[in-house]
Amino acid sequence: MSTLGRIKSATGVRYYVKLNPNENAKRPKIHIGLVNLKQANTTKLFIESLIAAQKGLGLPKATQEWLAGIPDGLRVRLETLELIERSEKNRWTVSAWIANYIEKRPDVKPATKRKWKDVETKLKAFFQKDCIGNVTIQHAKNFRIYLQSIHKLAENSIRRQIGIARQFFNSAVEAELINKNPFRGQAVSVRPNESRFYFVSPEIAKKVLNTCPDAEWKLIFGLARFGGLRCPSEVLRLK
């Protein structure tokens, strides 16, 4: 039989169920959380029912009803110990879902897909084998810090990449794998960086034009300087 343990914390007494060697050789703990003793004992009985079901004794209706209402954290722990089957949302890791999303979007331009792939690589390195259903708002905030501290990205670059990450997770919301997007609420709008502004005076523009090697380069510079087009993204699209 499993045993019931307790841990005193600043917020109160928290209980856990510890499996015995016959149930699991490693004797793992299943933390129940901040509940009273009666609730903890009830949870222990249901967990023992799950263990008995693994031996072919069947799963009582009461245990099935209990499973339908347990918190996500407890469900994930039971799934990890293979006491219950993984739910659909916990079958998808973050990296697997994003790879699947990108693969099913042949409609996007190559440049867009390269940006997606860059963010995919960073998300995969950060979340590794984490299930998409386990990602919290705090995890998403930590990813932002990761972009800033490890990859040394500027604020606008971070905002763009968070926006793409939000897009990936929005697709998981639409597929009903997760209930809410953990990246929702983070800043993604790009802000102007006045420190990078530089006014090209007519005198400087004339010098640049005179330096351009041929008429094509002079046209490109002229469209960028006087036509208000962005170079090279908008200028090079012209026929």
Side-chain angles (χ1 to χ4, degrees):
M1 298 269 307
S2 55
T3 57
L4 186 66
R6 51 186 284 170
I7 300 173
K8 289 185 178 181
S9 66
T11 56
V13 177
R14 297 179 179 272
Y15 292 90
Y16 63 86
V17 174
K18 187 174 184 178
L19 304 187
N20 67 37
N22 294 328
E23 296 165 338
N24 189 306
K26 295 182 179 180
R27 300 205 67 190
K29 294 179 181 179
I30 303 173
H31 290 272
I32 302 172
L34 194 61
V35 297
N36 58 41
L37 180 59
K38 182 179 179 180
Q39 292 170 323
N41 276 313
T42 301
T43 300
K44 175 178 174 291
L45 291 175
F46 282 128
I47 291 175
E48 290 172 349
S49 176
L50 292 174
I51 295 170
Q54 297 290 313
K55 300 176 181 178
L57 299 180
L59 194 62
K61 185 178 180 181
T63 305
Q64 296 177 29
E65 293 174 348
W66 171 76
L67 281 174
I70 63 175
D72 286 345
L74 178 56
R75 177 176 294 279
V76 170
R77 182 58 172 156
L78 295 175
E79 290 174 351
T80 302
L81 294 173
E82 298 182 349
L83 293 178
I84 60 175
E85 291 186 2
R86 287 188 179 273
S87 60
E88 182 63 27
K89 71 177 182 179
N90 290 327
R91 290 193 182 103
W92 285 100
T93 62
V94 173
S95 57
W97 175 255
I98 295 172
N100 175 74
Y101 174 80
I102 295 175
E103 182 182 355
K104 292 184 176 180
R105 290 294 306 274
D107 55 309
V108 299
K109 297 178 180 179
T112 300
K113 186 160 287 191
R114 283 195 297 272
K115 293 177 183 177
W116 286 3
K117 283 287 193 180
D118 179 46
V119 179
E120 177 193 18
T121 299
K122 293 183 176 67
L123 286 167
K124 184 177 180 180
F126 183 79
F127 288 107
Q128 299 184 10
K129 295 183 180 181
D130 289 344
C131 294
I132 196 166
N134 297 343
V135 178
T136 66
I137 293 175
Q138 187 58 55
H139 292 149
K141 290 180 178 178
N142 291 344
F143 178 70
R144 191 184 196 96
I145 297 171
Y146 168 77
L147 294 178
Q148 183 181 34
S149 59
I150 302 300
H151 289 277
K152 309 295 182 182
L153 297 184
E155 177 62 24
N156 278 341
S157 296
I158 292 174
R159 290 179 176 227
R160 292 188 190 95
Q161 300 216 352
I162 292 295
I164 294 172
R166 181 191 291 183
Q167 180 180 345
F168 293 150
F169 277 79
N170 272 339
S171 69
V173 173
E174 293 169 359
E176 298 183 353
L177 295 182
I178 55 178
N179 296 323
K180 58 184 179 180
N181 190 330
F183 286 92
R184 183 179 179 182
Q186 290 200 40
V188 296
S189 298
V190 176
R191 301 180 302 180
N193 186 353
E194 295 184 2
S195 65
R196 300 179 65 181
F197 289 177
Y198 184 81
F199 177 72
V200 180
S201 66
E203 293 76 19
I204 295 176
K206 185 176 180 180
K207 290 181 180 179
V208 174
L209 279 173
N210 292 335
T211 307
C212 289
D214 53 37
E216 182 180 9
W217 275 100
K218 289 182 179 181
L219 177 60
I220 291 174
F221 177 75
L223 289 171
R225 170 61 178 84
F226 303 105
L229 298 181
R230 290 183 295 180
C231 185
S233 59
E234 294 178 340
V235 172
L236 297 183
R237 292 177 189 169
L238 298 178
K239 299 290 185 181

